[in-house]
Amino acid sequence: MTLPRRRFDTLVIGAGGGGLRAALQLAQAEANVAVVSKVFPTRSHTVAAQGGINAALANVLPDNWHWHMYDTIKGSDYLGDQDAIEYMCRAAAHLVIELEHAGVPFSRQADGRIYQRRFGGQSQNFGGEQAARTCAAADRTGHAILHTLYQQNIRARTHFFDEYFAVDLLRDEQGYILGALVLEIETGEPLIIEAKTTLIASGGAGQLFRTNTNAHINTGDGMAMALRAGIPLQDMEFFQFHPTGIAGKGMLISEGVRGEGGYLINRDGERFMERYAPHALDLASRDVVSRAIYTEVKAGRGCGPKYDHVLLKLDHLGEAVIAQRLPAIRDMARTFLHIDPVEQPIPVYPTAHYTMGGIPTDRHGRVVVPAGHGEERIPGLYAVGECACVSVHGANRLGGNSLLDIVVFGRAAGNDIIEYLKENRYHRPLSDDGIAAAMARLTRWEQRGDGESVDGLRRELQQVMEEHCGVFRTQAVLEEGLAKVRQLRARLDHAVLKDHSRIFNTARIEALELENLVELGLATVASALGRNESRGAHSRVDYPQRDDERWLRHSLYFRDGETLDYKPVRMKPLTVESFPPQERVY
Amino acid sequence: MKFLIYRYNPETDQAPWMQALELAEVRPGMMLRDALLELKAQRDETLTFRHSCGEGVCGSDGLNVNGRNVLACITPLKGLREPVTVRPLPRLPVIRDLVVDLSGFYHHYRAVKPYLIAHDPEPEVERLQSPAQRERLDGLYECVLCACCTTACPSFWWNPDKFRGPAALLQAWRFLADSRDQATAQRLDELEGPYRLFRCHTIMSCTDVCPKGLNPTRAIGHIKQLMLTHQV
Ligand SMILES: Cc1cc2nc3c(=O)[nH]c(=O)nc-3n(C[C@H](O)[C@H](O)[C@H](O)COP(=O)(O)OP(=O)(O)OC[C@H]3O[C@@H](n4cnc5c(N)ncnc54)[C@H](O)[C@@H]3O)c2cc1C
Ligand code: SF4
Ligand code: SF4
Ligand code: FES
């Protein structure tokens, strides 16, 4: 079977903020770029980001990039790579200004400059007073940035393949990545996109967990594609649970609410964060606040008839502040809870939010794998955004650093690709063998007859992940979880679809997504089981301490044989002194 | 709860048909998208619709429900008349079931040059904008491109190729209203003529249905007014 083929210099998989920022850099340099997205670009989940993007502009309070760097490293529980973190924090101000020039409608302060709010884990002077570093467009910052980046790509005439689903990477025998097999969702027709460079920017995998803040499409496809291409995933045990999802439903209530002065209370009306983070209180790091809420509820101090959540109080901010700074949060509370936060507190509980782990890259977005005593790059392959692990977030991401990550490394990858293309001018030949394996993933779902449903299996997976790999973990619970996910993977082999139409077959897309999620579930549980310490978002009740002696290193999970390997954290920044690990208190 | 859902698969159906489906349990707080997901999971896997964020920000799930365009994920089941009649957004080509072809809608959006155009050299810092200037963008930049308004507009039904439609015009105004944009004359020129802008007869259906509470009619009025002052 010969499939239709298209050829581009660069294939970008994903049209969220990461993919679009990279595509813009490339299109402006007149490279021939194709952006493939399974949804129309402005429907990517970057659109849902609320609170803002970090940069030490010092518009509201004194600030500089070095303090931002310190906070990011401390927030990462010292697992972040300090060269990449320095690079990101230094670039931040320039990139936010660039977004403003591109048209992002940031909120403004009286002097006309960009408004910045307080966010968790931010300090002045290396651990001193609270900083205000998060640049905001009301509480719709992600929407503002994503739409602006898409608009600028329209202007730059980027080539979009909207509603195309990437199935698998294509790789030759020398290890070069030569593009991907994609599926046009509307017609069900497969297509080969050949490219000299491929950038994965496919976002996170929040759909691994039952209650999450993520969109239906956040199934980590690009990470699973990397695994199948023989590339390991890094630090998958670190999954961020956001402290304030709407209890029982999962939609996010931005940290911006606490940044504007909201705070958490338990059943007794007590402001309990005073006990867990006496200094930073409600603006401690997310892992710290999530554990505090979980502990309060476990101790019977939860609110509501089932004692199963805590309350986020913001009525004291007054209607004017809420209407101006938090309009979308107010809408959401009204729509989903029928309460007006101007009058009533919002019930919240920790909710799966952000994938810290992902495809291992260096600070140019180049995908790297272990080789000998060091690392080597996968030629032709790049990754940025939530699917990648640079690693700037380490064991725990700070709020406002992800929107920053996607624009900083989207641009960096774009620049590196331009260099790579100068040295690699020609397409390498693509054999049919690699294509056959990728096609088999599609044809497998043509199978008919009786079998389990994809939907049922996905629900089970999400339940297992929540119960066995949540905020607190133990060896026994994780081991059981691993066995269950393995069983689910075996059962998925026998699942069948009832919908066999070629036209806009969403059931088939969901089947392919579930295959990806199961791979990532295994990677997450296996990596969590491997790490016998507590660090950042990974809390092992049986190993409650951080253990820098043995565990100040990144995990790497390989699909082949489900094996784990480790590599050192890059402790050496680019120009400044290293920040050695210290006890982490807020 | 009883549903009547528009179905059409060009591979197998001669013509569109309405499928009666029943949802066994309506839980408190359930939205229409939750119902469609359950019907798809439990009754008929082939039922096809777009959706993603589940919270009204991605704009994927614009549908016509009991005659009104809505976003399914923020439409409570409670209060909907039965049988709940669910159709694709009106007057666009149907790809399958509730999925419509939005390429014409996107074409009009791209045609209004929905990006900031500035000619002055870029300063090293941000361009200044007062809170009052910034406030003029409120109610404009929040559009989620769901197409609920444009597909409810009678002028668009009659001239889908030539009239830009309320969503695109709202974005045209979003940039005209931006103190940082310097392409006012060019933008206004491109909206000249009897169709692109002036097919709007202020029928207000767009504003009436916008699930984000935006007001394209008012934006269109502002553009018309600006055109008048610009000409003299
Ligand atoms: C509710 C919420 C609020 C947030 N608020 C903030 C905040 O205030 N500040 C902050 O810094 N961060 C925030 N974050 C995190 C941040 O928004 C995300 O991490 C970031 O936007 C991810 O961007 P991305 O470009 O990597 O991926 P995404 O925006 O998720 O885009 C992924 C893209 O990949 C495409 N794709 C995926 N799989 C495939 C496939 N198989 N084939 C084709 N295309 C595919 C999708 O269509 C999409 O275009 C928030 C996250 C959530 C969920
Ligand atoms: S006000 Fe204008 S754009 Fe809106 S529905 Fe009426 S004719 Fe259409
Ligand atoms: S103006 Fe409202 S109805 Fe129209 S596309 Fe935008 S959000 Fe949808
Ligand atoms: S699913 Fe995103 S707007 Fe409804």
Side-chain angles (χ1 to χ4, degrees), chain A residues 43 59 100-101 103-106 108 112-114 143 151 155 163 216-217 498-499 501-503 506, chain B residues 9 11 40 45 50 52 58-60 96 106 114 116 123 125-127 129 134 141 143 145 174 180:
Chain A
R43 319 213 185 280
N59 285 0
E100 191 284 324
H101 291 166
V104 172
F106 283 110
R108 300 290 172 146
R113 294 191 293 165
I114 294 172
H143 177 288
Q151 292 163 347
R155 187 180 195 181
E163 301 192 321
H216 193 78
I217 56 170
K498 297 204 177 70
D499 188 347
S501 171
R502 282 178 308 148
I503 311 294
T506 55
Chain B
N9 181 342
E11 277 191 317
K40 183 174 173 72
E45 186 179 282
R50 291 188 180 104
S52 182
C58 76
S60 300
R96 178 178 172 182
Y106 296 138
L116 194 77
V125 293
E126 65 263 55
R127 289 195 200 85
Q129 190 171 47
R134 168 59 184 76
Y141 81 95
C143 170
L145 296 176
R174 179 246 173 275
R180 301 169 296 174

Side-chain angles (χ1 to χ4, degrees), chain A residues 292-303 307-310 349:
Chain A
I293 296 175
Y294 190 93
T295 307
E296 286 299 296
V297 167
K298 262 264 138 84
R301 291 190 290 273
C303 306
Y307 298 54
D308 59 358
H309 59 264
V310 297
Y349 194 70

Side-chain angles (χ1 to χ4, degrees), chain B residues 33 51-61 71 73:
Chain B
R33 168 178 172 266
H51 68 102
S52 182
C53 70
E55 53 185 52
V57 295
C58 76
S60 300
D61 55 349
L71 283 175
C73 62

Side-chain angles (χ1 to χ4, degrees), chain B residues 198-210:
Chain B
F198 284 97
R199 274 295 113 171
C200 169
H201 298 305
T202 327
I203 311 170
M204 295 279 289
S205 323
C206 52
T207 300
D208 184 46
V209 300
C210 175

Side-chain angles (χ1 to χ4, degrees), chain A residues 488-508:
Chain A
L488 280 167
R489 180 168 67 176
R491 282 162 60 193
L492 183 57
D493 285 342
H494 306 289
V496 288
L497 292 178
K498 297 204 177 70
D499 188 347
H500 293 280
S501 171
R502 282 178 308 148
I503 311 294
F504 218 101
N505 187 334
T506 55
R508 175 158 68 162

Side-chain angles (χ1 to χ4, degrees), chain B residues 7-127:
Chain B
R7 302 297 309 268
Y8 176 64
N9 181 342
E11 277 191 317
T12 47
D13 299 329
Q14 297 283 339
W17 53 287
M18 296 301 286
Q19 181 180 29
L21 286 170
E22 194 162 343
L23 187 69
E25 189 204 350
V26 176
R27 293 181 303 275
M30 223 173 160
M31 300 288 174
L32 177 61
R33 168 178 172 266
D34 303 323
L36 292 174
L37 284 171
E38 278 199 27
L39 292 171
K40 183 174 173 72
Q42 287 159 22
R43 293 302 168 87
D44 187 348
E45 186 179 282
T46 66
L47 172 61
T48 300
F49 51 97
R50 291 188 180 104
H51 68 102
S52 182
C53 70
E55 53 185 52
V57 295
C58 76
S60 300
D61 55 349
L63 295 172
N64 184 275
V65 178
N66 290 345
R68 187 184 164 82
N69 292 352
V70 299
L71 283 175
C73 62
I74 51 172
T75 300
L77 287 182
K78 206 174 133 197
L80 289 178
R81 193 168 19 87
E82 288 186 63
V84 182
T85 308
V86 185
R87 294 172 169 277
L89 289 176
R91 313 267 182 140
L92 292 180
V94 172
I95 294 171
R96 178 178 172 182
D97 297 348
L98 303 172
V99 177
V100 291
D101 181 353
L102 287 164
S103 43
F105 173 79
Y106 296 138
H107 163 78
H108 287 298
Y109 170 68
R110 285 191 288 261
V112 301
K113 299 207 164 69
Y115 39 79
L116 194 77
I117 301 177
H119 306 301
D120 291 347
E122 281 174 354
E124 278 163 49
V125 293
E126 65 263 55
R127 289 195 200 85

